[in-house]
Amino acid sequence: MTATLPPLVVVLQLAERARQTATVEELLFVMVNETHALASYRQAVLWDATGRVVALSGIPVLDPQVPFVLWLQRLYGQLRHAPTDAFFPMAGESVPDGLRDGWGEWLPDVALAIPLQQGDTRLGWLLLARDFPFDDSESELLNHLAGAYAHAWSAYLGRRSHFRWQQLLPRRRRWLILAALSLALAWPVPLTVLAPAEVVPIHPEVIRAPMDGVLLRFHLQPNDPVAVGQPLFDLDDTTLNNRLEVAEKSLAIAESEYLLTSQLALQDPRSKAQLTLLFGRVEEKKLEADGLRAQRARSRVHASRSGIALFSDPQSWIGRPVVTGERILTIAEEQESEVEAWVAAGALIPLPVEAPVMLFLNVDPLHPRAARLRLLAYEATLRPDGTAAHQMRATWQGEGAPPRLGLKGMVRITGEQVALCWWIARRPVALVRQWLGW
């Protein structure tokens, strides 16, 4: 690129040079140094949209703390309110008194401020200073070149996200957005907690093994209706039958001995002394036989109330040894149900009495069921999975049949109103406190 080339060719070459730069630093260097090929000048300064000096002619590394750069940032105040669609001629005698002395020390007499504008976005200003004024032809060529520079610079700014959000919005609009954001963060929202839940009976009757034995058979299937007095299951009574048969034979022998001795006592007075002993033996054998009969009767368990039978697979019970008091099944009224949930100890929130509860069943998550908190255990219980949780029970609200017993899902319990910022930060703060041990 030489000075003998036509000015229009120089403009095209500089525009091409700007488009071919590999970095934004290289582009800034071209703007303040190689523009000299189009219009001669002694000093070139480049500001960005915030008033920061980003490049100086003849200086490869810019120090923002040197007096010249600090004075140039003050000089940018004269350009801040200048129209961005026109050049802005400047001279030493036209600047305020506070800047006039620095102008005579740092810059030549005449300067031309060139706006770098891409659409409606101001990218910065390019200042060219020399000892004599710029003519109209130079200004026109520089105007075309400034458009090419602005286009290349905006490509780098967009690629590197160099724009600040303050540059994109007016000051008043920024304050409005900040106020709206503050209001949104202070907006009251309900504090909620999620917990796994199940539909359980309210007053179930637990049927337990009446004695030690082996479960022989069931007389019903899971979820079958049950009536009062209906047989539920049998325990194996083979051993009881054998023991009862032996006891009955022993009773018969004792009764025979007592009858024979009582007949002999009519003729032999000495036999009367054995009658009391034999009578006691008969009573003992009779009590033993009656006890075995009662145990055999208890080997068949009957229902004492109506409802439905709740238990697991019958085949897993048959042939299994059970001990006295072991839980076998539960009888409950199908319409008398409520929600039982287990709230993790670390997720518990302050919950008022009758707090709203919403159950989302796994089989029908799109139709939640409403309930009200009835019970919340004050002490956490160790669950089978090794976690500590608080038991919660809630009663149904609204009309309609309650869900089937045994259905599982997830409940959302609504607590007190808190600010949105606390609702967002509550769990992260709790995790940080646990991690730091506060």
Side-chain angles (χ1 to χ4, degrees):
M1 183 183 307
T2 63
T4 59
L5 293 175
L8 185 57
V9 176
V10 176
V11 171
L12 296 176
Q13 288 181 346
L14 289 174
E16 182 66 20
R17 178 78 174 90
R19 286 193 297 268
Q20 292 180 354
T21 54
T23 62
V24 66
E25 290 78 11
E26 184 180 354
L27 174 64
L28 301 182
F29 180 85
V30 169
M31 285 193 280
V32 297
N33 290 282
E34 298 188 13
T35 308
H36 191 276
L38 179 63
S40 61
Y41 52 84
R42 285 175 50 190
Q43 186 70 48
V45 182
L46 181 62
W47 291 277
D48 63 6
T50 64
R52 183 172 59 96
V53 179
V54 294
L56 290 174
S57 60
I59 299 178
V61 179
L62 182 66
D63 186 357
Q65 299 302 322
V66 298
F68 180 40
V69 175
L70 296 177
W71 181 83
L72 288 173
Q73 292 181 173
R74 293 171 54 201
L75 181 64
Y76 181 77
Q78 302 298 308
L79 301 174
R80 181 175 300 169
H81 303 293
T84 58
D85 56 351
F87 286 14
F88 188 67
M90 302 181 69
E93 62 272 8
S94 63
V95 297
D97 295 339
L99 299 173
R100 190 170 301 168
D101 295 339
W103 186 287
E105 180 180 358
W106 302 110
L107 293 177
D109 295 337
V110 179
L112 182 66
I114 305 171
L116 300 178
Q117 187 91 359
Q118 180 64 21
D120 295 332
T121 304
R122 179 187 298 181
L123 304 180
W125 287 87
L126 176 63
L127 180 73
L128 304 180
R130 66 186 185 185
D131 297 323
F132 54 94
F134 291 85
D135 56 30
D136 294 340
S137 62
E138 288 179 318
S139 299
E140 185 67 24
L141 294 173
L142 288 172
N143 184 32
H144 288 285
L145 183 60
Y149 283 164
H151 184 270
W153 198 6
S154 65
Y156 281 111
L157 293 177
R159 186 187 313 167
R160 298 175 55 183
S161 301
H162 191 69
F163 283 119
R164 298 181 181 179
W165 67 273
Q166 294 95 336
Q167 302 175 24
L168 302 179
L169 297 174
R171 181 179 297 273
R172 181 178 300 177
R173 187 173 298 178
R174 294 203 301 266
W175 280 108
L176 290 176
I177 293 176
L178 184 60
L181 181 61
S182 301
L183 181 62
L185 291 177
W187 192 265
V189 295
L191 197 60
T192 59
V193 62
L194 299 178
E198 181 180 0
V199 180
V200 297
I202 298 180
H203 302 295
E205 180 182 359
V206 179
I207 307 300
R208 304 182 182 274
M211 57 185 177
D212 295 349
V214 176
L215 206 149
L216 181 62
R217 69 177 65 87
F218 278 97
H219 297 283
L220 73 172
Q221 295 296 321
N223 300 323
D224 281 353
V226 177
V228 178
Q230 178 180 342
L232 302 176
F233 60 87
D234 292 340
L235 297 178
D236 190 358
D237 58 355
T238 302
T239 303
L240 289 175
N241 288 331
N242 294 336
R243 291 175 58 190
L244 179 59
E245 185 177 354
V246 172
E248 288 176 345
K249 289 183 179 180
S250 298
L251 175 61
I253 293 174
E255 290 176 344
S256 299
E257 290 179 352
Y258 176 75
L259 180 60
L260 179 60
T261 304
S262 61
Q263 292 175 353
L264 292 177
L266 296 175
Q267 301 176 357
D268 187 2
R270 294 177 299 180
S271 299
K272 292 181 179 181
Q274 300 180 0
L275 289 178
T276 302
L277 179 61
L278 294 175
F279 181 77
R281 184 180 298 173
V282 170
E283 291 298 322
E284 178 185 359
K285 298 299 181 183
K286 186 180 294 185
L287 290 175
E288 182 180 355
D290 291 343
L292 291 173
R293 291 191 189 95
Q295 282 189 338
R296 186 177 66 176
R298 289 202 307 273
S299 65
R300 171 166 289 185
V301 180
H302 297 79
S304 60
R305 59 168 292 180
S306 60
I308 60 174
L310 305 175
F311 62 103
S312 57
D313 182 16
Q315 298 301 322
S316 63
W317 282 98
I318 294 177
R320 171 179 167 181
V322 295
V323 297
T324 304
E326 183 175 354
R327 179 174 180 171
I328 306 298
L329 56 87
T330 302
I331 298 178
E333 289 290 343
E334 188 172 7
Q335 300 301 320
E336 297 180 358
S337 63
E338 61 183 2
V339 183
E340 180 185 57
W342 292 89
V343 183
L348 187 63
I349 61 175
L351 294 174
V353 180
E354 296 188 350
V357 177
M358 194 67 68
L359 172 64
F360 298 87
L361 294 171
N362 294 336
V363 297
D364 190 14
L366 299 180
H367 298 86
R369 297 297 303 268
R372 288 284 179 180
L373 183 65
R374 179 180 70 84
L375 169 68
L376 179 63
Y378 76 95
E379 185 178 4
T381 304
L382 190 63
R383 300 284 293 156
D385 58 359
T387 60
H390 296 263
Q391 185 187 26
M392 183 222 74
R393 292 243 177 170
T395 56
W396 302 113
Q397 295 291 313
E399 300 179 353
R404 184 176 63 84
L405 292 172
L407 292 180
K408 298 181 181 295
M410 186 71 66
V411 294
R412 184 189 64 201
I413 313 169
T414 304
E416 60 185 4
Q417 297 278 336
V418 297
L420 178 62
C421 59
W422 174 244
W423 184 87
I424 297 173
R426 183 179 69 91
R427 293 306 297 272
V429 169
L431 292 176
V432 170
R433 290 187 61 185
Q434 294 176 6
W435 184 65
L436 296 178
W438 290 354

